[in-house]
């Protein structure tokens, strides 16, 4: 009887291991196009999803831009070409893909900002999965969107005088 119980527990354990699936979650990231940002410059931030853990078609997404840092001016967004723009309002970004997307690295949208002042600015997006408008929608699953990044805004370097300007200034000093 003891070997029968052992075999039963072994069978249950193997069955549980085979039927349990790892709780893999697709990761959202904000990717700054050019990290060398100066005051007065316009720059872009891509919102991307790493989809190599789900194995389902990516169908739709929706997220909001979190509070815009005072060092930045939010100029708008562009939905990736694989999606139809279903956004409403300036801070809500949403898209629908038909047919679904099976790629592993998916561009959702590109956010555009103007750098207003020197410092470190935070950018964040969030879309808590609600089954209707927010989050990531896959063929059979849904997940939250949440990502943040910091950008450093530098002062513009001083203008370098032109060689002809130096020559003229030298001649003026020479003649005085």
């Amino acid at each position: 009887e003891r070997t029968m119980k052992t075999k039963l527990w072994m069978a249950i354990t193997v069955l549980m291991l085979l039927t349990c699936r790892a709780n893999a979650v697709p990761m959202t990231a904000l990717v700054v196009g050019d990290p060398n940002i100066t005051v007065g410059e316009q720059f872009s931030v891509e919102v991307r999803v790493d989809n190599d853990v789900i194995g389902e078609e990516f169908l739709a997404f929706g997220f909001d831009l979190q509070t815009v840092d005072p060092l930045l001016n939010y100029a708008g967004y562009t939905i990736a070409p694989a999606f139809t723009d279903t956004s409403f309002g300036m801070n809500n970004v949403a898209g629908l893909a038909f047919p679904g997307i099976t790629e592993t690295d998916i561009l959702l949208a590109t956010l555009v900002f103007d750098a207003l002042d020197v410092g470190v600015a935070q950018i964040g997006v969030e879309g808590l999965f609600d089954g209707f408008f927010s989050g990531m929608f896959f063929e059979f699953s849904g997940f939250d969107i949440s990502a943040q990044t910091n950008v450093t805004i530098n002062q513009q370097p001083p203008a370098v005088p032109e060689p002809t300007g130096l020559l003229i200034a030298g001649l003026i000093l020479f003649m005085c």
Side-chain angles (χ1 to χ4, degrees), residues 106-166:
I106 302 171
L107 172 64
L108 303 180
T110 302
L111 309 176
V112 180
F113 297 91
D114 297 311
L116 301 177
D117 203 357
V118 174
V120 177
Q122 184 174 15
I123 300 169
V125 297
E126 184 173 68
L128 301 178
F129 181 74
D130 64 2
F132 297 104
F133 303 108
S134 290
M136 289 183 267
F137 296 80
F138 288 86
E139 200 170 6
F140 303 108
S141 338
F143 298 94
D144 293 341
I145 292 175
S146 182
Q148 292 80 31
T149 191
N150 290 329
V151 293
T152 301
I153 304 169
N154 302 302
Q155 187 65 42
Q156 286 196 354
V160 178
E162 296 180 29
T164 56
L166 287 174

Side-chain angles (χ1 to χ4, degrees), residues 25-46:
V25 176
M27 299 301 295
T28 309
L30 299 180
V31 180
V32 179
D34 177 12
N36 187 19
I37 301 166
T38 57
V39 174
E41 181 181 357
Q42 191 170 74
F43 66 96
S44 61
V45 177
E46 292 182 340

Side-chain angles (χ1 to χ4, degrees), residues 4-5 19 22 29 34 50 58-59 62 67 77 81 84 102 112 127 135 140 155 164:
M4 185 64 157
K5 280 185 180 180
T19 58
D34 177 12
D50 179 7
F58 189 93
L59 303 174
T67 305
Y77 64 88
T84 299
T102 57
V112 180
F140 303 108
Q155 187 65 42
T164 56

